[in-house]
Amino acid sequence: MDERIGVAVIGLGVIGRRMLEQAALRDDLEITGAWDIDPQARERAARDFPRARIATDALSAIADAGTRIVYVGTPPAFHREYSLLASAHGRKVFCEKPLAVDVAQGERLVREIESAGTPNAVNFVYASAPAARALAAAIADGAIGRPLLIETRLFFARWPRDWQASAQWLSYRAEGGFVREVLSHFVYLMRDLFGDCTHRASFVDYPGDGKSCERAAVAMLDCAGMPVVVTAGAGGGGPDEVVFTVRGERGALRLDNWYGLQRAEGAGWVDTPVDHRPHPDMRTAAYQAQLDALVQFGLGAPQRLPTMAMALEVQRLIERILQGD
Ligand SMILES: NC(=O)c1ccc[n+]([C@@H]2O[C@H](COP(=O)([O-])OP(=O)(O)OC[C@H]3O[C@@H](n4cnc5c(N)ncnc54)[C@H](O)[C@@H]3O)[C@@H](O)[C@H]2O)c1
């Protein structure tokens, strides 16, 4: 491809570094500037990603003449600030989820971005992940008959997970917690697969200190008329579990550990291979498929990345679950 899409990356923690790592595998994306408020994060990125230009400040990364898209990979409290800065400089915005720290801030951001006419998208990776697309295709092909019930089960032995140890904001109720961080992906996926989801009931267990995030949550939702059962918890023995199951009249399919597609057979589950070539694994294939869509977004071509307005609908439901009954 002749044209490389210039991306400025703001926030160089877990997910910002993943963007640098995955963008480095392609020749149609160019990191025109990368910046983090923490000098150590900038130093680490400069050392580990020599192709990415580390900017002197956020504005110079965003305003760089080659920047077409600004990727906002900071914690949620700063998504609005950088999205608006990008919009003010005529850049497209690719923002991380959750959209904002609360519904009011999310609504404001969507209003501001839409009234500026800024093209916008949010990084829910199930928009592109081959396993999720294969699940959607199998359901549409009638592999399980009419879908009847959705279940989402999350368990984390430690929260935040070990690889997120530096992201301490994830431990706190204000911005973090696994309901926002992980369940939001599955709320997005349900909406993408079936349509509108609403809250029916929820109960959330918080530690008594008033500031730490949830320890456990149960919720009953409705998705396009189907019951959705959610159970989520953290802390304790055993392996982590991230499982999304759709049960139908004639069978069941599930995503196991994010990107493993399985179908019910007899009394158990069997793997359903999903083609991840030319990438080495499903995780890379998912991220690369999302970057394929990001390139199309940069070019102004059709693609299926969710908009901020869609991310706001996800956020409304997530915050409603967290409110409890
Ligand atoms: N889409 C996904 O699959 C996925 C996965 C993980 C995280 N996320 C989202 O990505 C965002 C970041 O998460 P993370 O795990 O990378 O967190 P993190 O804490 O590892 O990284 C955030 C980085 O942002 C920097 N930062 C904080 N305030 C800043 C500011 N005002 N200006 C510039 N930089 C600032 C921090 O120094 C840190 O390096 C969150 O919204 C999170 O929910 C999305």
mmCIF file of all heavy atoms in Angstrom, residues 10-16 18 35-38 41 44 71-76 78-79 81-82 96-98 123-125 161 163-164 166-170 181 185 259 287, ligand 1:
data_model
loop_
_atom_site.group_PDB
_atom_site.id
_atom_site.type_symbol
_atom_site.label_atom_id
_atom_site.label_comp_id
_atom_site.label_asym_id
_atom_site.label_seq_id
_atom_site.Cartn_x
_atom_site.Cartn_y
_atom_site.Cartn_z
ATOM 1 N N ILE A 10 -1.318 8.162 22.573
ATOM 2 C CA ILE A 10 -1.240 8.865 23.859
ATOM 3 C C ILE A 10 -1.517 7.847 24.961
ATOM 4 O O ILE A 10 -2.596 7.237 24.996
ATOM 5 C CB ILE A 10 -2.267 10.027 23.943
ATOM 6 C CG1 ILE A 10 -2.138 10.954 22.725
ATOM 7 C CG2 ILE A 10 -2.088 10.790 25.258
ATOM 8 C CD1 ILE A 10 -0.821 11.666 22.587
ATOM 9 N N GLY A 11 -0.537 7.684 25.853
ATOM 10 C CA GLY A 11 -0.633 6.656 26.891
ATOM 11 C C GLY A 11 0.184 5.459 26.450
ATOM 12 O O GLY A 11 -0.121 4.830 25.425
ATOM 13 N N LEU A 12 1.255 5.174 27.207
ATOM 14 C CA LEU A 12 2.169 4.094 26.811
ATOM 15 C C LEU A 12 2.269 3.044 27.913
ATOM 16 O O LEU A 12 3.345 2.582 28.263
ATOM 17 C CB LEU A 12 3.546 4.686 26.472
ATOM 18 C CG LEU A 12 3.530 5.685 25.299
ATOM 19 C CD1 LEU A 12 4.874 6.396 25.164
ATOM 20 C CD2 LEU A 12 3.156 4.975 24.000
ATOM 21 N N GLY A 13 1.103 2.706 28.465
ATOM 22 C CA GLY A 13 1.043 1.626 29.454
ATOM 23 C C GLY A 13 0.794 0.312 28.720
ATOM 24 O O GLY A 13 1.236 0.119 27.587
ATOM 25 N N VAL A 14 0.048 -0.588 29.356
ATOM 26 C CA VAL A 14 -0.173 -1.918 28.789
ATOM 27 C C VAL A 14 -0.711 -1.829 27.365
ATOM 28 O O VAL A 14 -0.166 -2.412 26.426
ATOM 29 C CB VAL A 14 -1.159 -2.717 29.678
ATOM 30 C CG1 VAL A 14 -1.588 -4.003 28.994
ATOM 31 C CG2 VAL A 14 -0.541 -3.014 31.038
ATOM 32 N N ILE A 15 -1.781 -1.049 27.170
ATOM 33 C CA ILE A 15 -2.464 -1.102 25.873
ATOM 34 C C ILE A 15 -1.772 -0.212 24.837
ATOM 35 O O ILE A 15 -1.746 -0.533 23.651
ATOM 36 C CB ILE A 15 -3.972 -0.769 26.040
ATOM 37 C CG1 ILE A 15 -4.765 -1.301 24.874
ATOM 38 C CG2 ILE A 15 -4.227 0.688 26.249
ATOM 39 C CD1 ILE A 15 -4.933 -2.785 24.882
ATOM 40 N N GLY A 16 -1.204 0.904 25.299
ATOM 41 C CA GLY A 16 -0.463 1.760 24.364
ATOM 42 C C GLY A 16 0.747 1.025 23.802
ATOM 43 O O GLY A 16 1.064 1.111 22.609
ATOM 44 N N ARG A 18 0.914 -2.189 23.515
ATOM 45 C CA ARG A 18 0.408 -3.228 22.601
ATOM 46 C C ARG A 18 0.175 -2.624 21.212
ATOM 47 O O ARG A 18 0.461 -3.253 20.196
ATOM 48 C CB ARG A 18 -0.881 -3.839 23.143
ATOM 49 C CG ARG A 18 -1.246 -5.108 22.398
ATOM 50 C CD ARG A 18 -2.493 -5.756 22.944
ATOM 51 N NE ARG A 18 -2.401 -6.064 24.362
ATOM 52 C CZ ARG A 18 -3.445 -6.378 25.132
ATOM 53 N NH1 ARG A 18 -4.654 -6.419 24.623
ATOM 54 N NH2 ARG A 18 -3.291 -6.650 26.400
ATOM 55 N N TRP A 35 3.339 9.395 23.220
ATOM 56 C CA TRP A 35 3.609 10.197 24.417
ATOM 57 C C TRP A 35 2.859 9.642 25.619
ATOM 58 O O TRP A 35 1.763 9.088 25.485
ATOM 59 C CB TRP A 35 3.191 11.664 24.198
ATOM 60 C CG TRP A 35 3.704 12.547 25.302
ATOM 61 C CD1 TRP A 35 4.983 12.974 25.477
ATOM 62 C CD2 TRP A 35 2.942 13.054 26.389
ATOM 63 N NE1 TRP A 35 5.068 13.737 26.622
ATOM 64 C CE2 TRP A 35 3.839 13.808 27.197
ATOM 65 C CE3 TRP A 35 1.606 12.972 26.767
ATOM 66 C CZ2 TRP A 35 3.431 14.467 28.351
ATOM 67 C CZ3 TRP A 35 1.192 13.621 27.925
ATOM 68 C CH2 TRP A 35 2.104 14.365 28.701
ATOM 69 N N ASP A 36 3.491 9.793 26.783
ATOM 70 C CA ASP A 36 2.894 9.383 28.061
ATOM 71 C C ASP A 36 3.293 10.437 29.079
ATOM 72 O O ASP A 36 4.392 11.004 29.001
ATOM 73 C CB ASP A 36 3.441 8.004 28.473
ATOM 74 C CG ASP A 36 2.667 7.374 29.627
ATOM 75 O OD1 ASP A 36 2.748 7.892 30.772
ATOM 76 O OD2 ASP A 36 1.976 6.365 29.390
ATOM 77 N N ILE A 37 2.435 10.671 30.044
ATOM 78 C CA ILE A 37 2.743 11.688 31.050
ATOM 79 C C ILE A 37 3.917 11.249 31.937
ATOM 80 O O ILE A 37 4.602 12.073 32.529
ATOM 81 C CB ILE A 37 1.471 11.985 31.888
ATOM 82 C CG1 ILE A 37 1.546 13.365 32.513
ATOM 83 C CG2 ILE A 37 1.198 10.905 32.915
ATOM 84 C CD1 ILE A 37 0.202 13.875 32.998
ATOM 85 N N ASP A 38 4.159 9.953 31.992
ATOM 86 C CA ASP A 38 5.201 9.402 32.853
ATOM 87 C C ASP A 38 6.511 9.262 32.051
ATOM 88 O O ASP A 38 6.568 8.497 31.084
ATOM 89 C CB ASP A 38 4.712 8.031 33.358
ATOM 90 C CG ASP A 38 5.762 7.298 34.180
ATOM 91 O OD1 ASP A 38 6.872 7.833 34.370
ATOM 92 O OD2 ASP A 38 5.471 6.161 34.613
ATOM 93 N N ALA A 41 7.700 5.737 31.358
ATOM 94 C CA ALA A 41 6.952 5.031 30.296
ATOM 95 C C ALA A 41 7.476 5.464 28.928
ATOM 96 O O ALA A 41 7.599 4.644 28.013
ATOM 97 C CB ALA A 41 5.454 5.326 30.418
ATOM 98 N N ARG A 44 10.880 3.722 28.396
ATOM 99 C CA ARG A 44 10.719 2.289 28.083
ATOM 100 C C ARG A 44 10.250 2.107 26.641
ATOM 101 O O ARG A 44 10.743 1.247 25.918
ATOM 102 C CB ARG A 44 9.701 1.637 29.035
ATOM 103 C CG ARG A 44 10.291 1.228 30.376
ATOM 104 C CD ARG A 44 9.342 0.278 31.104
ATOM 105 N NE ARG A 44 8.051 0.897 31.389
ATOM 106 C CZ ARG A 44 7.781 1.608 32.470
ATOM 107 N NH1 ARG A 44 8.711 1.790 33.396
ATOM 108 N NH2 ARG A 44 6.591 2.132 32.659
ATOM 109 N N TYR A 71 -4.803 7.816 18.838
ATOM 110 C CA TYR A 71 -5.223 6.665 19.642
ATOM 111 C C TYR A 71 -5.080 7.060 21.112
ATOM 112 O O TYR A 71 -3.969 7.331 21.583
ATOM 113 C CB TYR A 71 -4.340 5.467 19.314
ATOM 114 C CG TYR A 71 -4.547 4.287 20.234
ATOM 115 C CD1 TYR A 71 -5.809 3.733 20.416
ATOM 116 C CD2 TYR A 71 -3.483 3.713 20.920
ATOM 117 C CE1 TYR A 71 -6.000 2.661 21.259
ATOM 118 C CE2 TYR A 71 -3.666 2.628 21.760
ATOM 119 C CZ TYR A 71 -4.942 2.110 21.922
ATOM 120 O OH TYR A 71 -5.128 1.041 22.765
ATOM 121 N N VAL A 72 -6.203 7.087 21.819
ATOM 122 C CA VAL A 72 -6.198 7.515 23.223
ATOM 123 C C VAL A 72 -6.162 6.256 24.093
ATOM 124 O O VAL A 72 -7.179 5.586 24.279
ATOM 125 C CB VAL A 72 -7.434 8.394 23.539
ATOM 126 C CG1 VAL A 72 -7.370 8.879 24.978
ATOM 127 C CG2 VAL A 72 -7.522 9.566 22.563
ATOM 128 N N GLY A 73 -4.976 5.961 24.627
ATOM 129 C CA GLY A 73 -4.781 4.733 25.404
ATOM 130 C C GLY A 73 -4.445 5.024 26.856
ATOM 131 O O GLY A 73 -3.724 4.267 27.501
ATOM 132 N N THR A 74 -4.983 6.123 27.375
ATOM 133 C CA THR A 74 -4.773 6.475 28.791
ATOM 134 C C THR A 74 -5.877 5.831 29.629
ATOM 135 O O THR A 74 -6.862 5.331 29.077
ATOM 136 C CB THR A 74 -4.875 8.004 28.978
ATOM 137 O OG1 THR A 74 -6.225 8.380 28.641
ATOM 138 C CG2 THR A 74 -3.901 8.753 28.106
ATOM 139 N N PRO A 75 -5.775 5.903 30.964
ATOM 140 C CA PRO A 75 -6.926 5.506 31.784
ATOM 141 C C PRO A 75 -8.144 6.381 31.435
ATOM 142 O O PRO A 75 -7.988 7.488 30.906
ATOM 143 C CB PRO A 75 -6.445 5.764 33.217
ATOM 144 C CG PRO A 75 -4.939 5.677 33.128
ATOM 145 C CD PRO A 75 -4.594 6.244 31.788
ATOM 146 N N PRO A 76 -9.357 5.880 31.734
ATOM 147 C CA PRO A 76 -10.583 6.547 31.270
ATOM 148 C C PRO A 76 -10.697 8.025 31.656
ATOM 149 O O PRO A 76 -11.286 8.810 30.909
ATOM 150 C CB PRO A 76 -11.701 5.733 31.934
ATOM 151 C CG PRO A 76 -11.083 4.406 32.219
ATOM 152 C CD PRO A 76 -9.616 4.609 32.409
ATOM 153 N N PHE A 78 -8.898 10.388 31.321
ATOM 154 C CA PHE A 78 -8.285 11.335 30.365
ATOM 155 C C PHE A 78 -8.739 11.121 28.924
ATOM 156 O O PHE A 78 -8.246 11.796 28.022
ATOM 157 C CB PHE A 78 -6.752 11.248 30.474
ATOM 158 C CG PHE A 78 -6.290 11.394 31.891
ATOM 159 C CD1 PHE A 78 -5.919 10.277 32.626
ATOM 160 C CD2 PHE A 78 -6.301 12.633 32.503
ATOM 161 C CE1 PHE A 78 -5.540 10.393 33.960
ATOM 162 C CE2 PHE A 78 -5.933 12.764 33.839
ATOM 163 C CZ PHE A 78 -5.545 11.644 34.566
ATOM 164 N N HIS A 79 -9.675 10.199 28.718
ATOM 165 C CA HIS A 79 -10.121 9.937 27.336
ATOM 166 C C HIS A 79 -10.731 11.193 26.718
ATOM 167 O O HIS A 79 -10.488 11.507 25.551
ATOM 168 C CB HIS A 79 -11.141 8.797 27.305
ATOM 169 C CG HIS A 79 -10.537 7.447 27.596
ATOM 170 N ND1 HIS A 79 -11.293 6.303 27.693
ATOM 171 C CD2 HIS A 79 -9.255 7.052 27.805
ATOM 172 C CE1 HIS A 79 -10.497 5.269 27.949
ATOM 173 N NE2 HIS A 79 -9.258 5.711 28.035
ATOM 174 N N GLU A 81 -10.305 14.442 27.478
ATOM 175 C CA GLU A 81 -9.320 15.513 27.236
ATOM 176 C C GLU A 81 -8.571 15.294 25.909
ATOM 177 O O GLU A 81 -8.493 16.194 25.070
ATOM 178 C CB GLU A 81 -8.345 15.522 28.414
ATOM 179 C CG GLU A 81 -7.184 16.462 28.272
ATOM 180 C CD GLU A 81 -6.191 16.277 29.439
ATOM 181 O OE1 GLU A 81 -6.593 15.761 30.510
ATOM 182 O OE2 GLU A 81 -5.023 16.640 29.254
ATOM 183 N N TYR A 82 -8.053 14.091 25.706
ATOM 184 C CA TYR A 82 -7.241 13.856 24.499
ATOM 185 C C TYR A 82 -8.106 13.688 23.247
ATOM 186 O O TYR A 82 -7.680 14.061 22.151
ATOM 187 C CB TYR A 82 -6.311 12.660 24.701
ATOM 188 C CG TYR A 82 -5.225 12.975 25.699
ATOM 189 C CD1 TYR A 82 -5.191 12.353 26.936
ATOM 190 C CD2 TYR A 82 -4.257 13.942 25.415
ATOM 191 C CE1 TYR A 82 -4.204 12.658 27.854
ATOM 192 C CE2 TYR A 82 -3.270 14.258 26.336
ATOM 193 C CZ TYR A 82 -3.249 13.618 27.552
ATOM 194 O OH TYR A 82 -2.275 13.937 28.471
ATOM 195 N N GLU A 96 -9.815 4.302 23.633
ATOM 196 C CA GLU A 96 -9.984 3.064 24.392
ATOM 197 C C GLU A 96 -11.332 3.070 25.103
ATOM 198 O O GLU A 96 -11.937 4.115 25.317
ATOM 199 C CB GLU A 96 -8.838 2.889 25.412
ATOM 200 C CG GLU A 96 -7.709 2.036 24.897
ATOM 201 C CD GLU A 96 -8.175 0.679 24.339
ATOM 202 O OE1 GLU A 96 -9.239 0.184 24.736
ATOM 203 O OE2 GLU A 96 -7.485 0.119 23.485
ATOM 204 N N LYS A 97 -11.769 1.860 25.446
ATOM 205 C CA LYS A 97 -12.929 1.715 26.312
ATOM 206 C C LYS A 97 -12.407 1.650 27.740
ATOM 207 O O LYS A 97 -11.208 1.384 27.888
ATOM 208 C CB LYS A 97 -13.734 0.468 25.962
ATOM 209 C CG LYS A 97 -12.945 -0.787 25.572
ATOM 210 C CD LYS A 97 -11.977 -1.398 26.532
ATOM 211 C CE LYS A 97 -12.512 -1.838 27.857
ATOM 212 N NZ LYS A 97 -11.427 -2.454 28.686
ATOM 213 N N PRO A 98 -13.223 1.842 28.778
ATOM 214 C CA PRO A 98 -14.551 2.444 28.695
ATOM 215 C C PRO A 98 -14.432 3.900 28.249
ATOM 216 O O PRO A 98 -13.402 4.544 28.489
ATOM 217 C CB PRO A 98 -15.083 2.330 30.117
ATOM 218 C CG PRO A 98 -13.939 1.978 30.990
ATOM 219 C CD PRO A 98 -12.809 1.547 30.139
ATOM 220 N N ASN A 123 -12.055 1.011 20.798
ATOM 221 C CA ASN A 123 -11.329 -0.248 20.626
ATOM 222 C C ASN A 123 -11.955 -1.443 21.357
ATOM 223 O O ASN A 123 -11.365 -1.982 22.292
ATOM 224 C CB ASN A 123 -9.878 -0.056 21.081
ATOM 225 C CG ASN A 123 -8.997 -1.225 20.683
ATOM 226 O OD1 ASN A 123 -9.319 -1.954 19.743
ATOM 227 N ND2 ASN A 123 -7.894 -1.403 21.390
ATOM 228 N N PHE A 124 -13.144 -1.833 20.918
ATOM 229 C CA PHE A 124 -13.694 -3.115 21.372
ATOM 230 C C PHE A 124 -13.234 -4.156 20.363
ATOM 231 O O PHE A 124 -13.724 -4.208 19.227
ATOM 232 C CB PHE A 124 -15.223 -3.063 21.425
ATOM 233 C CG PHE A 124 -15.760 -2.328 22.612
ATOM 234 C CD1 PHE A 124 -16.383 -1.102 22.464
ATOM 235 C CD2 PHE A 124 -15.636 -2.860 23.894
ATOM 236 C CE1 PHE A 124 -16.876 -0.414 23.563
ATOM 237 C CE2 PHE A 124 -16.123 -2.179 25.010
ATOM 238 C CZ PHE A 124 -16.747 -0.957 24.838
ATOM 239 N N VAL A 125 -12.317 -5.006 20.792
ATOM 240 C CA VAL A 125 -11.612 -5.861 19.830
ATOM 241 C C VAL A 125 -12.514 -6.956 19.239
ATOM 242 O O VAL A 125 -12.230 -7.488 18.171
ATOM 243 C CB VAL A 125 -10.315 -6.399 20.462
ATOM 244 C CG1 VAL A 125 -10.599 -7.541 21.422
ATOM 245 C CG2 VAL A 125 -9.309 -6.799 19.401
ATOM 246 N N ARG A 161 -4.832 -8.170 37.081
ATOM 247 C CA ARG A 161 -4.027 -9.356 36.764
ATOM 248 C C ARG A 161 -2.548 -8.991 36.821
ATOM 249 O O ARG A 161 -2.194 -7.810 36.741
ATOM 250 C CB ARG A 161 -4.433 -9.865 35.375
ATOM 251 C CG ARG A 161 -5.841 -10.424 35.375
ATOM 252 C CD ARG A 161 -6.480 -10.408 34.021
ATOM 253 N NE ARG A 161 -6.863 -9.072 33.613
ATOM 254 C CZ ARG A 161 -7.540 -8.778 32.496
ATOM 255 N NH1 ARG A 161 -7.905 -9.735 31.689
ATOM 256 N NH2 ARG A 161 -7.840 -7.537 32.190
ATOM 257 N N TRP A 163 -0.075 -8.990 34.893
ATOM 258 C CA TRP A 163 0.508 -8.177 33.826
ATOM 259 C C TRP A 163 -0.024 -6.746 33.827
ATOM 260 O O TRP A 163 0.426 -5.912 33.041
ATOM 261 C CB TRP A 163 0.325 -8.835 32.455
ATOM 262 C CG TRP A 163 -1.068 -9.297 32.148
ATOM 263 C CD1 TRP A 163 -1.613 -10.515 32.449
ATOM 264 C CD2 TRP A 163 -2.105 -8.555 31.505
ATOM 265 N NE1 TRP A 163 -2.925 -10.576 32.029
ATOM 266 C CE2 TRP A 163 -3.245 -9.382 31.435
ATOM 267 C CE3 TRP A 163 -2.183 -7.257 30.968
ATOM 268 C CZ2 TRP A 163 -4.446 -8.972 30.873
ATOM 269 C CZ3 TRP A 163 -3.390 -6.857 30.399
ATOM 270 C CH2 TRP A 163 -4.493 -7.709 30.353
ATOM 271 N N GLN A 164 -0.965 -6.473 34.731
ATOM 272 C CA GLN A 164 -1.491 -5.106 34.849
ATOM 273 C C GLN A 164 -1.056 -4.463 36.166
ATOM 274 O O GLN A 164 -1.648 -3.461 36.584
ATOM 275 C CB GLN A 164 -3.023 -5.134 34.852
ATOM 276 C CG GLN A 164 -3.638 -5.616 33.564
ATOM 277 C CD GLN A 164 -5.131 -5.766 33.708
ATOM 278 O OE1 GLN A 164 -5.604 -6.365 34.669
ATOM 279 N NE2 GLN A 164 -5.867 -5.238 32.748
ATOM 280 N N SER A 166 1.075 -2.521 37.109
ATOM 281 C CA SER A 166 1.379 -1.081 37.162
ATOM 282 C C SER A 166 0.120 -0.229 36.985
ATOM 283 O O SER A 166 0.133 0.965 37.264
ATOM 284 C CB SER A 166 2.409 -0.735 36.081
ATOM 285 O OG SER A 166 1.860 -1.051 34.822
ATOM 286 N N ALA A 167 -0.972 -0.835 36.547
ATOM 287 C CA ALA A 167 -2.197 -0.063 36.286
ATOM 288 C C ALA A 167 -3.070 -0.061 37.546
ATOM 289 O O ALA A 167 -4.135 -0.665 37.605
ATOM 290 C CB ALA A 167 -2.944 -0.658 35.095
ATOM 291 N N GLN A 168 -2.600 0.637 38.578
ATOM 292 C CA GLN A 168 -3.285 0.569 39.863
ATOM 293 C C GLN A 168 -4.691 1.160 39.837
ATOM 294 O O GLN A 168 -5.545 0.800 40.642
ATOM 295 C CB GLN A 168 -2.424 1.213 40.960
ATOM 296 C CG GLN A 168 -1.381 0.249 41.520
ATOM 297 C CD GLN A 168 -1.978 -1.119 41.896
ATOM 298 O OE1 GLN A 168 -2.933 -1.218 42.668
ATOM 299 N NE2 GLN A 168 -1.430 -2.207 41.324
ATOM 300 N N TRP A 169 -4.955 2.062 38.873
ATOM 301 C CA TRP A 169 -6.300 2.640 38.763
ATOM 302 C C TRP A 169 -7.362 1.555 38.576
ATOM 303 O O TRP A 169 -8.521 1.741 38.935
ATOM 304 C CB TRP A 169 -6.340 3.656 37.610
ATOM 305 C CG TRP A 169 -5.996 3.068 36.276
ATOM 306 C CD1 TRP A 169 -4.749 2.924 35.729
ATOM 307 C CD2 TRP A 169 -6.914 2.508 35.327
ATOM 308 N NE1 TRP A 169 -4.833 2.306 34.503
ATOM 309 C CE2 TRP A 169 -6.153 2.057 34.230
ATOM 310 C CE3 TRP A 169 -8.298 2.355 35.288
ATOM 311 C CZ2 TRP A 169 -6.735 1.450 33.125
ATOM 312 C CZ3 TRP A 169 -8.872 1.758 34.179
ATOM 313 C CH2 TRP A 169 -8.089 1.321 33.118
ATOM 314 N N LEU A 170 -6.932 0.381 38.059
ATOM 315 C CA LEU A 170 -7.877 -0.718 37.840
ATOM 316 C C LEU A 170 -8.417 -1.297 39.146
ATOM 317 O O LEU A 170 -9.417 -2.001 39.155
ATOM 318 C CB LEU A 170 -7.193 -1.839 37.053
ATOM 319 C CG LEU A 170 -7.078 -1.632 35.552
ATOM 320 C CD1 LEU A 170 -6.142 -2.660 34.936
ATOM 321 C CD2 LEU A 170 -8.452 -1.700 34.889
ATOM 322 N N GLU A 181 -13.835 -3.151 33.011
ATOM 323 C CA GLU A 181 -12.677 -3.480 32.175
ATOM 324 C C GLU A 181 -12.926 -4.689 31.268
ATOM 325 O O GLU A 181 -12.513 -4.682 30.117
ATOM 326 C CB GLU A 181 -11.478 -3.727 33.107
ATOM 327 C CG GLU A 181 -10.157 -3.925 32.424
ATOM 328 C CD GLU A 181 -9.675 -2.701 31.656
ATOM 329 O OE1 GLU A 181 -10.235 -1.600 31.836
ATOM 330 O OE2 GLU A 181 -8.755 -2.854 30.845
ATOM 331 N N HIS A 185 -16.495 -5.688 27.300
ATOM 332 C CA HIS A 185 -16.242 -6.327 26.002
ATOM 333 C C HIS A 185 -17.404 -7.254 25.622
ATOM 334 O O HIS A 185 -17.776 -7.347 24.453
ATOM 335 C CB HIS A 185 -14.955 -7.161 26.046
ATOM 336 C CG HIS A 185 -13.713 -6.324 26.010
ATOM 337 N ND1 HIS A 185 -13.273 -5.690 24.876
ATOM 338 C CD2 HIS A 185 -12.814 -6.013 26.977
ATOM 339 C CE1 HIS A 185 -12.158 -5.030 25.128
ATOM 340 N NE2 HIS A 185 -11.853 -5.210 26.407
ATOM 341 N N TYR A 259 -10.501 -16.011 23.092
ATOM 342 C CA TYR A 259 -10.465 -16.238 21.649
ATOM 343 C C TYR A 259 -10.561 -17.698 21.239
ATOM 344 O O TYR A 259 -10.331 -18.037 20.076
ATOM 345 C CB TYR A 259 -9.178 -15.638 21.063
ATOM 346 C CG TYR A 259 -9.055 -14.151 21.298
ATOM 347 C CD1 TYR A 259 -7.926 -13.611 21.912
ATOM 348 C CD2 TYR A 259 -10.071 -13.289 20.904
ATOM 349 C CE1 TYR A 259 -7.819 -12.248 22.125
ATOM 350 C CE2 TYR A 259 -9.971 -11.922 21.121
ATOM 351 C CZ TYR A 259 -8.852 -11.410 21.730
ATOM 352 O OH TYR A 259 -8.748 -10.065 21.940
ATOM 353 N N TYR A 287 -5.954 -8.679 17.194
ATOM 354 C CA TYR A 287 -5.455 -7.304 17.212
ATOM 355 C C TYR A 287 -5.165 -6.816 15.801
ATOM 356 O O TYR A 287 -5.483 -5.683 15.438
ATOM 357 C CB TYR A 287 -4.222 -7.184 18.120
ATOM 358 C CG TYR A 287 -4.204 -5.823 18.759
ATOM 359 C CD1 TYR A 287 -4.835 -5.614 19.985
ATOM 360 C CD2 TYR A 287 -3.639 -4.741 18.109
ATOM 361 C CE1 TYR A 287 -4.889 -4.350 20.540
ATOM 362 C CE2 TYR A 287 -3.685 -3.479 18.660
ATOM 363 C CZ TYR A 287 -4.303 -3.288 19.877
ATOM 364 O OH TYR A 287 -4.359 -2.029 20.415
HETATM 365 N N1 LIG B 1 -9.315 -2.768 24.300
HETATM 366 C C1 LIG B 1 -8.704 -3.593 25.117
HETATM 367 O O1 LIG B 1 -8.640 -4.794 24.874
HETATM 368 C C2 LIG B 1 -8.044 -3.033 26.348
HETATM 369 C C3 LIG B 1 -7.142 -3.818 27.094
HETATM 370 C C4 LIG B 1 -6.508 -3.231 28.200
HETATM 371 C C5 LIG B 1 -6.799 -1.906 28.546
HETATM 372 N N2 LIG B 1 -7.704 -1.187 27.817
HETATM 373 C C6 LIG B 1 -8.034 0.221 28.140
HETATM 374 O O2 LIG B 1 -6.910 1.027 27.803
HETATM 375 C C7 LIG B 1 -6.803 2.139 28.698
HETATM 376 C C8 LIG B 1 -5.432 2.100 29.358
HETATM 377 O O3 LIG B 1 -5.295 0.869 30.069
HETATM 378 P P1 LIG B 1 -3.867 0.252 30.398
HETATM 379 O O4 LIG B 1 -4.143 -1.132 30.872
HETATM 380 O O5 LIG B 1 -2.929 0.481 29.291
HETATM 381 O O6 LIG B 1 -3.457 1.165 31.653
HETATM 382 P P2 LIG B 1 -1.974 1.496 32.157
HETATM 383 O O7 LIG B 1 -2.130 2.109 33.508
HETATM 384 O O8 LIG B 1 -1.085 0.308 31.968
HETATM 385 O O9 LIG B 1 -1.476 2.601 31.126
HETATM 386 C C9 LIG B 1 -1.991 3.889 31.084
HETATM 387 C C10 LIG B 1 -0.853 4.843 30.745
HETATM 388 O O10 LIG B 1 -1.415 6.144 30.616
HETATM 389 C C11 LIG B 1 -0.519 7.062 31.224
HETATM 390 N N3 LIG B 1 -1.252 8.248 31.622
HETATM 391 C C12 LIG B 1 -1.997 8.434 32.755
HETATM 392 N N4 LIG B 1 -2.516 9.666 32.755
HETATM 393 C C13 LIG B 1 -2.102 10.263 31.600
HETATM 394 C C14 LIG B 1 -2.314 11.551 31.063
HETATM 395 N N5 LIG B 1 -3.069 12.461 31.672
HETATM 396 N N6 LIG B 1 -1.718 11.841 29.879
HETATM 397 C C15 LIG B 1 -0.951 10.915 29.224
HETATM 398 N N7 LIG B 1 -0.701 9.700 29.716
HETATM 399 C C16 LIG B 1 -1.284 9.369 30.887
HETATM 400 C C17 LIG B 1 0.097 6.328 32.395
HETATM 401 O O11 LIG B 1 1.334 6.899 32.781
HETATM 402 C C18 LIG B 1 0.228 4.918 31.817
HETATM 403 O O12 LIG B 1 1.508 4.708 31.254
HETATM 404 C C19 LIG B 1 -7.966 1.987 29.663
HETATM 405 O O13 LIG B 1 -9.067 2.735 29.208
HETATM 406 C C20 LIG B 1 -8.268 0.498 29.601
HETATM 407 O O14 LIG B 1 -9.602 0.197 29.976
HETATM 408 C C21 LIG B 1 -8.304 -1.731 26.729
#
